[in-house]
């Protein structure tokens, strides 16, 4: 029994992953159905977009393949997010059920435990399949040259987008330290922002654009990376196209500070709100 | 030196005041109200290595809050706690290595996986050396009968099996202190007995210090050498179980059944509590008057067909303490 | 007896307003989503060049109404499932109350909350922000109300089928989610039927989903000829009855299952 080293934390992380994999294989039928359900739910947005463009052909110069390419970023990065950070997604539950108390009695960092303890393979597949289907159907027909620079950019943008989404979820999770029910707040910060980001930023009034750039920076998850490849709208600052990883890192850092404040508040006021 | 030292511990909560009824609910929605509640109000005590201590008190008395502060889950509002020289909150991770926690209502086992999988994970979480892990696993398996269900998914286990596995899980890393929050709640008599035996054994063999919070007085009588009673956030008793019995358990109740209808008789030092048909309930203090003397006096006037003398149960005494029927004086609560 | 059900409804109403931030966020959500969807449709219509035309105002009103109805149509999808899983359903069935009426009154309590405290604020804001068109005529408005109530009942009875299936499946997340996806896509909640491909419209009219959003909104907008309104309402009523009948059969099966297996 002793202190953890980097190596032992790494080994432990794989132990946790292994447990999660066993768990995923435990109810195969049910989990496949859930993955299918997630696939159906996420496809609605795609189908709606498709139906609209079937009729209108293009919107402000955007064609169907370009719109769906823009959309594909959301699913691929979300899929990575639930693979790596499902614990952050489920954090509010952890607080309400008292599981968070258990984490506090363990000789490990809290964020480490939250991240390693939970991997949602089901959702990873459900969202991932939508993302891959969209990507395969669009990435080679919108005029992108997949050389190594562009490929590297793409990977970095995906990682940045994943971290931005993790930060936003962590932000909504922070509210569970102070409020009992946070479902609508989370919808406001995350799911609705994500739905808005499904369409090009240039469609929206300036107020919404500013919101999605500076407050809930979802535009860096898909719009600016897509813009890098497609160059559709000229109205935004060129620099935004390269900022996704920076925004991800900065946002995570800020939200992490807030989260730490929340943990302190939790441990000093207790879960008396419940 | 004491293993756990708690001085003037205070914990305050901010509570959301909810008003009753539909209009009250709407009003609370618009204008929330808060009030401060002192859950723990300057409690002090020390616990030595190897002690087995039971915390008891009614719901909301502050015992769970106290345990949460001892385990590093909550930070104290004021006052100090040291556990083996560490502050459980400030040095949470270090402290966590040395303690084990069992929440009676909340398992730490992975619900859909076999028990052994969680054990294996804990081995890595606490970095338990292979030798110690093997040894402990073998010992706990034998004593708690884990081998019967160690490969079964937790969701299929009975309550008793789950609790046994949970206790083993909390002890795998040889903690110096084990905290139990309601360890036997909802268990049947046999399961309770098995767990108490095991706890006593571990305490004796490994010298593990044990702290309980419980409603079950039997738990305390069977496993603890000391108990701390907490009520309304303050400590109202701290001492041995025997002490409280000796001090407050001297009242006896004699139930006498007469051969004929009897009139009440006045005997000094004896109080008539109830009379019904041919029976009488009499209370007396065993140091003031002997039972045989009372019987003697009674048989002088009436014939007696049967009688029993009842000792008070510890549970009854505690109840009396909560209700304020017994006032603890300084000499008793000053045991600490 | 009616009193008991009223109490359930009241209780469910109260449960909904316990959480302050949750409530406020809910209202903001409704407004933001209306706002954003109108912005998207504006972008679409810009190409057509008829932003100022009646066409767009009708569309905007359609979107607003759809989202207002969406805020009303939210139900607790796991109310029965949770009771089935933790076994409380057997004790509920022993009580001298009709279980189905109990569930319904609970749902209506939530509806009352959503109507008074979520939809009304959103409606008032919408009138100012989005220039919501007034109903085509007073008569149409009355028809709309009847139709919206029928739409609610269609959705309720459809949902009930899924809820009762929890007696067999225990977990209904996937069923609920797929059902939701079908409702959102096929009911006209997200795209008005007139934008759907020609070939699909007739099929969509045959399914129960059209009754939930499309029928009431089109009546409000005066897009249904007066002689067809009655047909529309009757179609909705038929769906209520059909779904109720199926639900009744399922429910009987579920209760039998409960008796045989003792929960």
């Amino acid at each position: 029994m002793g202190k953890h080293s980097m190596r032992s934390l790494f080994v432990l992380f794989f132990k946790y992953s292994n447990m999660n994999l066993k768990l995923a294989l435990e109810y195969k039928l049910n989990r496949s159905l859930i993955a299918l359900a997630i696939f159906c739910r996420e496809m609605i947005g795609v189908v709606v977009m498709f139906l609209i463009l079937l009729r209108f052909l293009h919107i402000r110069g955007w064609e169907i393949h370009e719109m769906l390419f823009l959309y594909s970023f959301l699913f691929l990065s979300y899929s990575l997010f639930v693979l790596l950070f499902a614990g952050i997604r489920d954090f509010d539950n952890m607080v309400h059920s008292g599981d968070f108390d258990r984490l506090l009695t363990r000789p490990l960092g809290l964020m480490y435990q939250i991240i390693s303890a939970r991997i949602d393979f089901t959702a990873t597949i459900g969202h991932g399949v939508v993302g891959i289907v969209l990507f395969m159907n669009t990435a080679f027909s919108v005029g992108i040259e997949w050389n190594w620079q562009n490929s590297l950019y793409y990977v970095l943008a995906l990682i940045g987008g994943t971290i931005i989404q993790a930060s936003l979820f962590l932000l909504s999770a922070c509210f569970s330290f102070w409020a009992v029910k946070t479902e609508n707040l989370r919808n406001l910060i995350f799911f609705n922002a994500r739905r808005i980001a499904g369409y090009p930023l240039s469609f929206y009034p300036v107020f919404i654009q500013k919101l999605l750039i500076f407050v809930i920076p979802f535009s860096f998850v898909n719009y600016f990376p897509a813009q890098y490849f497609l160059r559709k709208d000229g109205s935004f600052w060129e620099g935004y196209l390269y900022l996704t990883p920076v925004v991800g890192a900065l946002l995570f850092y800020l939200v992490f500070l807030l989260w730490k404040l929340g943990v302190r508040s939790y441990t000093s006021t207790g879960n008396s709100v419940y | 030196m004491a293993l756990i030292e708690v001085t003037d511990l205070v914990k305050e909560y901010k509570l959301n005041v909810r008003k009753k009824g539909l209009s009250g609910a709407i009003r609370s929605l618009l204008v929330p109200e808060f009030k401060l509640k002192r859950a723990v109000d300057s409690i002090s005590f020390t616990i030595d290595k190897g002690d087995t201590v039971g915390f008891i008190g009614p719901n909301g008395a502050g015992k769970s809050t106290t345990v949460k502060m001892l385990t590093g889950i909550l930070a104290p509002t004021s006052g100090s706690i040291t556990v083996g020289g560490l502050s459980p909150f400030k040095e949470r991770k270090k402290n966590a290595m040395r303690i084990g926690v069992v929440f009676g209502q909340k398992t730490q086992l992975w619900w859909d996986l076999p028990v052994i999988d969680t054990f294996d994970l804990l081995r890595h979480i606490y970095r338990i050396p292979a030798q110690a892990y093997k040894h402990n696993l073998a010992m706990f398996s034998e004593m708690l009968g884990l081998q019967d269900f160690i490969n079964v998914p937790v969701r299929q286990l009975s309550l008793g099996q789950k609790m046994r596995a949970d206790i083993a899980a909390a002890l795998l890393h040889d903690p110096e202190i084990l905290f139990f929050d309601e360890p036997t709640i909802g268990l049947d008599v046999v399961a309770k007995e098995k767990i108490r035996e095991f706890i006593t054994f571990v305490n004796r063999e490994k010298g593990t210090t044990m702290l309980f919070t419980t409603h079950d007085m039997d738990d305390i009588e069977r496993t603890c050498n000391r108990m701390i009673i907490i009520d309304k956030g303050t400590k109202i008793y701290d001492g041995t179980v025997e002490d409280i019995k000796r001090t407050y358990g001297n009242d006896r109740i004699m139930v006498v059944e007469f051969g004929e209808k009897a009139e009440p008789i006045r005997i000094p030092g004896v109080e008539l509590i109830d009379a019904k048909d041919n029976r009488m309930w009499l209370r007396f203090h065993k140091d003031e008057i002997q039972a045989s003397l009372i019987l003697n006096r009674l048989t002088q006037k009436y014939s007696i067909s049967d009688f029993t003398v009842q000792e008070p149960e510890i549970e009854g005494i505690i109840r009396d303490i909560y209700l304020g029927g017994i006032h603890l004086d300084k000499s008793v609560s000053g045991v600490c | 007896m009616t009193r008991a059900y009223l109490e359930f409804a009241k209780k469910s109403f109260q449960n909904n307003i316990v959480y302050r931030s949750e409530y406020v966020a809910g209202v903001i959500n409704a407004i933001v989503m209306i706002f954003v969807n109108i912005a998207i449709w504006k972008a679409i219509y810009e190409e057509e060049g008829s932003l100022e035309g009646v066409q767009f105002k009708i569309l905007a009103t359609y979107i607003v109404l759809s989202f207002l109805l969406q805020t009303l149509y939210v139900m607790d999808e796991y109310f029965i499932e949770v009771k089935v899983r933790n076994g409380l359903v057997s004790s509920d069935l022993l009580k001298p109350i009709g279980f189905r009426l109990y569930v319904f009154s609970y749902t209506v309590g939530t509806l009352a909350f959503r109507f008074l405290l979520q939809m009304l604020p959103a409606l008032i804001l919408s009138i100012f922000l989005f220039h919501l068109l007034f109903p085509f005529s007073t008569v149409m408005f009355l028809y709309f109300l009847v139709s919206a109530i029928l739409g609610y009942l269609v959705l309720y009875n459809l949902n009930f089928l899924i809820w009762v299936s929890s007696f067999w499946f225990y977990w209904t997340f996937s069923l609920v989610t797929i059902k939701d996806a079908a409702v959102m896509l096929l009911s006209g909640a997200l795209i008005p039927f007139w934008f759907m491909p020609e070939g699909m419209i007739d099929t969509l009219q045959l399914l129960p989903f059209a009754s939930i959003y499309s029928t009431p909104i089109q009546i409000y907008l005066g897009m249904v000829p007066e002689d067809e309104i009655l047909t529309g309402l009757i179609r909705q009523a038929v769906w209520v009855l059909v779904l109720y009948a199926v639900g009744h059969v399922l429910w009987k099966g579920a209760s039998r299952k409960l008796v045989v297996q003792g929960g």
Side-chain angles (χ1 to χ4, degrees):
Chain A
M1 269 146 285
K3 273 178 76 84
H4 278 279
S5 60
M6 278 308 271
R7 212 184 91 83
S8 69
L9 286 177
F10 206 65
V11 172
L12 180 58
F13 182 80
F14 275 98
K15 267 263 134 351
Y16 271 119
S17 310
N18 200 7
M19 299 277 278
N20 275 299
L21 194 60
K22 279 190 190 173
L23 211 58
L25 296 173
E26 188 69 18
Y27 302 97
K28 279 187 222 74
L29 179 68
N30 189 34
R31 277 172 219 269
S32 320
L33 281 175
I34 290 176
L36 176 72
I38 293 173
F39 175 81
C40 291
R41 185 185 68 197
E42 298 306 326
M43 277 307 278
I44 305 175
V46 177
V47 173
V48 166
M49 205 178 262
F50 182 78
L51 287 174
I52 291 174
L53 281 148
L54 204 63
R55 159 117 193 180
F56 293 91
L57 301 178
H58 45 76
I59 311 171
R60 283 200 188 163
W62 286 71
E63 279 163 23
I64 182 75
H65 276 93
E66 295 163 338
M67 294 270 277
L68 293 180
F69 180 70
L70 169 80
Y71 215 16
S72 70
F73 277 95
L74 289 182
F75 296 107
L76 289 172
S77 56
Y78 189 88
S79 174
L80 279 180
F81 161 65
V82 279
L83 182 67
L84 299 172
F85 303 115
I88 291 182
R89 185 196 62 189
D90 300 341
F91 180 73
D92 55 343
N93 238 333
M94 234 178 250
V95 172
H96 297 150
S97 67
D99 283 343
F100 187 58
D101 283 359
R102 172 61 67 185
L103 302 194
L104 283 158
T105 67
R106 294 241 164 96
L108 293 166
L110 294 174
M111 194 41 90
Y112 174 84
Q113 291 186 73
I114 290 166
I115 290 174
S116 32
R118 185 109 175 75
I119 298 173
D120 189 344
F121 291 106
T122 320
T124 303
I125 292 170
H127 289 267
V129 170
V130 182
I132 290 169
V133 167
L134 290 184
F135 181 81
M136 294 313 274
N137 277 303
T138 58
F140 307 102
S141 56
V142 288
I144 302 169
E145 189 197 335
W146 288 102
N147 53 21
W148 73 268
Q149 289 104 320
N150 280 347
S151 305
L152 180 68
Y153 176 93
Y154 189 84
V155 171
L156 285 178
L158 267 195
I159 295 172
T162 303
I163 292 174
I164 291 175
Q165 297 187 65
S167 316
L168 290 175
F169 250 100
L170 189 58
L171 177 64
S172 78
C174 283
F175 291 113
S176 48
F177 288 122
W178 291 285
V180 185
K181 264 185 103 174
T182 52
E183 204 187 319
N184 282 339
L185 272 168
R186 152 188 291 206
N187 283 339
L188 189 64
I189 293 174
F190 192 88
F191 287 106
N192 285 341
R194 179 165 176 260
R195 276 206 250 172
I196 299 170
Y199 287 81
L201 195 62
S202 52
F203 286 16
Y204 300 111
V206 179
F207 169 69
I208 298 267
Q209 291 179 359
K210 292 236 159 83
L211 220 61
L212 285 186
I213 295 174
F214 301 112
V215 184
I216 302 166
F218 236 104
S219 54
F220 292 96
V221 177
N222 68 334
Y223 180 72
F224 290 117
Q227 178 74 350
Y228 168 86
F229 291 107
L230 305 174
R231 308 281 170 168
K232 297 301 290 183
D233 313 305
S235 51
F236 296 101
W237 177 49
E238 181 76 21
Y240 287 148
L241 308 192
Y242 304 94
L243 281 182
T244 297
V246 181
V247 171
L250 192 69
L251 189 64
F252 192 85
Y253 176 72
L254 288 177
V255 175
F256 184 68
L257 289 184
L258 178 71
W259 182 79
K260 286 210 124 166
L261 212 68
V263 173
R264 185 164 331 147
S265 150
Y266 175 87
T267 51
S268 60
T269 56
N271 49 2
S272 61
V273 275
Y274 307 120
Chain B
M1 197 194 103
L3 183 64
I4 299 176
E5 268 182 82
V6 172
T7 339
D8 298 327
L9 190 64
V10 172
K11 181 76 206 173
E12 279 173 347
Y13 287 130
K14 210 166 119 188
L15 279 185
N16 213 334
V17 184
R18 299 217 190 280
K19 299 183 194 84
K20 284 213 174 70
L22 195 58
S23 66
I26 295 174
R27 244 182 302 143
S28 297
L29 183 74
L30 301 172
V31 195
E33 245 177 69
F34 299 100
K35 73 171 185 209
L36 222 52
K37 191 194 174 218
R38 206 166 248 235
V40 173
D41 193 359
S42 58
I43 286 181
S44 306
F45 57 85
T46 57
I47 291 170
D48 288 325
K49 191 168 165 35
D51 270 357
T52 47
V53 181
F55 282 88
I56 60 169
N59 277 331
K63 53 188 196 306
S64 281
T65 310
T66 307
V67 170
K68 278 186 174 176
M69 286 190 279
L70 287 168
T71 48
I73 294 172
L74 291 181
T77 307
S78 69
S80 79
I81 308 177
T82 55
V83 175
L86 297 174
S87 152
F89 180 68
K90 289 193 189 110
E91 291 154 286
R92 186 184 65 77
K93 284 191 242 178
K94 252 192 197 165
N95 183 54
M97 272 291 182
R98 297 159 49 163
I99 63 169
V101 186
V102 179
F103 294 118
Q105 320 247 37
K106 189 103 195 80
T107 178
Q108 68 163 318
L109 306 164
W110 285 51
W111 191 248
D112 288 314
L113 297 180
V115 177
I116 189 72
D117 283 349
T118 306
F119 286 2
D120 190 44
L121 186 72
L122 288 168
R123 180 164 74 92
H124 286 86
I125 288 178
Y126 289 98
R127 305 204 72 193
I128 307 167
Q131 199 56 41
Y133 177 73
K134 240 166 101 184
H135 174 257
N136 280 345
L137 193 59
M139 182 172 103
F140 300 157
S141 291
E142 199 204 302
M143 293 231 34
L144 290 167
L146 299 183
Q147 64 273 12
D148 300 339
F149 53 85
I150 202 155
N151 290 312
V152 178
V154 175
R155 60 168 191 275
Q156 293 170 15
L157 300 185
S158 73
L159 207 60
Q161 290 172 324
K162 239 181 320 211
M163 184 42 70
R164 278 184 271 164
D166 245 315
I167 291 174
L171 279 166
L172 278 174
H173 60 290
D174 285 323
E176 288 169 49
I177 307 166
L178 188 60
F179 292 91
F180 284 101
D181 198 17
E182 304 285 351
T184 59
I185 202 158
L187 298 185
D188 61 69
V189 184
V190 183
K192 275 184 185 178
E193 199 50 41
K194 204 158 188 172
I195 285 169
R196 287 172 191 150
E197 250 171 49
F198 178 72
I199 289 171
T200 316
F201 173 81
V202 172
N203 169 254
R204 216 174 42 233
E205 286 301 300
K206 303 207 169 202
T208 313
T209 309
M210 310 258 182
L211 272 84
F212 300 83
T213 68
T214 180
H215 277 95
D216 192 331
M217 277 316 298
D218 273 353
D219 282 352
I220 304 266
E221 280 197 86
R222 297 290 314 279
T223 45
C224 296
N225 56 21
R226 181 171 152 203
M227 72 179 178
I228 294 177
I229 306 179
I230 296 178
D231 189 27
K232 297 191 187 81
T234 56
K235 187 175 82 174
I236 57 175
Y237 177 80
D238 185 347
T240 61
V241 179
E242 279 70 42
D243 262 345
I244 207 164
K245 270 190 161 172
R246 205 176 312 130
T247 318
Y248 302 104
N250 290 342
D251 279 356
R252 295 286 181 273
I253 289 173
M254 182 186 281
V255 187
V256 191
E257 201 175 323
F258 296 100
E260 67 258 55
K261 183 113 181 92
E263 291 296 311
I265 310 157
R266 279 185 57 87
I267 308 168
V270 179
E271 185 191 352
L272 177 70
I273 322 174
D274 202 4
K276 210 169 153 195
D277 303 330
N278 289 349
R279 264 193 248 173
M280 269 183 207
W281 281 262
L282 304 163
R283 177 157 54 201
F284 63 98
H285 203 276
K286 89 170 175 11
D287 296 338
E288 281 173 20
I289 187 165
Q290 284 179 322
S292 56
L293 200 68
I294 303 172
L295 282 175
N296 214 345
R297 291 284 299 274
L298 292 176
T299 41
Q300 284 172 8
K301 279 187 98 170
Y302 305 105
S303 68
I304 291 175
S305 57
D306 195 11
F307 78 94
T308 51
V309 178
Q310 296 168 349
E311 259 188 64
E313 299 251 320
I314 185 83
E315 222 157 306
I317 299 173
I318 305 283
R319 199 165 42 238
D320 281 351
I321 294 176
Y322 294 156
L323 294 175
I326 295 178
H327 296 285
L328 293 155
D329 52 35
K330 280 279 173 254
S331 67
V332 177
S333 59
V335 177
C336 62
Chain C
M1 204 61 222
T2 338
R3 237 200 111 62
Y5 297 112
L6 248 152
E7 281 304 313
F8 293 136
K10 225 171 101 183
K11 185 102 196 101
S12 127
F13 186 97
Q14 242 163 301
N15 283 348
N16 275 295
I17 52 174
V18 174
Y19 311 110
R20 231 162 90 86
S21 50
E22 181 74 356
Y23 166 69
V24 176
V27 177
I28 297 176
N29 263 330
I31 291 294
V32 167
M33 285 325 282
I34 295 176
F35 185 68
V36 161
N37 274 279
I38 288 187
I40 294 173
W41 282 102
K42 248 186 187 152
I44 297 170
Y45 253 67
E46 217 172 41
E47 305 255 327
E48 303 273 295
S50 59
L51 258 185
E52 300 308 313
V54 185
Q55 274 271 330
F56 183 74
K57 280 193 181 143
I58 287 181
L59 180 63
T61 306
Y62 188 102
I63 301 299
V64 173
L65 283 178
S66 164
F67 274 93
L68 291 179
L69 286 180
Q70 280 178 47
T71 56
L72 285 184
Y73 285 178
V74 177
M75 303 175 196
D76 184 354
E77 303 269 11
Y78 303 101
F79 186 69
I80 295 182
E81 181 193 289
V82 168
K83 281 183 180 293
V84 168
R85 265 214 319 279
N86 63 20
L88 278 178
V89 74
S90 358
S91 63
D92 275 342
L93 285 176
L94 289 177
K95 286 179 196 157
I97 49 163
F99 184 75
R100 278 179 292 173
L101 258 179
Y102 162 52
V103 176
F104 185 67
S105 45
Y106 184 87
T107 311
V108 167
T110 305
L111 175 68
F113 156 75
R114 297 203 147 254
F115 182 80
L116 287 174
L117 292 169
Q118 297 230 281
M119 198 215 71
L120 277 187
L123 173 69
I124 292 165
L125 280 170
S126 298
I127 292 174
F128 291 108
L129 286 177
F130 311 118
H131 313 292
L132 185 70
L133 286 181
F134 284 99
F136 190 72
S137 67
T138 323
V139 184
M140 285 300 170
F141 184 65
L142 292 177
Y143 281 134
F144 162 74
L145 286 184
V146 175
S147 181
I149 291 169
L150 285 170
Y152 183 82
L153 291 175
V154 171
L155 182 64
Y156 177 82
N157 284 294
L158 179 68
N159 283 345
F160 187 78
L161 301 186
I162 309 277
W163 300 344
V164 174
S165 75
S166 60
F167 278 83
W168 288 273
F169 302 137
Y170 300 101
W171 299 94
T172 54
F173 172 84
S174 24
L175 274 178
V176 167
T177 306
I178 292 172
K179 180 264 305 168
D180 273 346
V183 169
M184 289 319 277
L185 200 60
L186 306 175
S187 67
L190 298 174
I191 322 176
F193 279 4
W194 67 83
F195 285 142
M196 296 273 197
E198 297 281 338
M200 276 174 72
I201 299 178
D202 288 339
T203 322
L204 288 176
Q205 294 286 9
L206 286 179
L207 296 174
F209 306 110
S211 298
I212 302 170
Y213 288 97
S214 188
T215 310
I217 302 177
Q218 293 211 23
I219 291 177
Y220 180 99
L221 293 171
M223 298 180 87
V224 185
E226 212 149 339
D227 50 325
E228 281 176 32
I229 288 182
L230 205 62
T231 333
L233 294 181
I234 288 172
R235 195 185 290 134
Q236 286 185 299
V238 168
W239 276 120
V240 174
L241 289 176
V242 168
L243 291 169
Y244 176 80
V246 179
H248 183 76
V249 173
L250 272 184
W251 173 249
K252 287 290 160 211
S255 339
R256 207 170 313 121
K257 184 169 183 293
L258 202 66
V259 173
V260 173
Q261 302 182 352

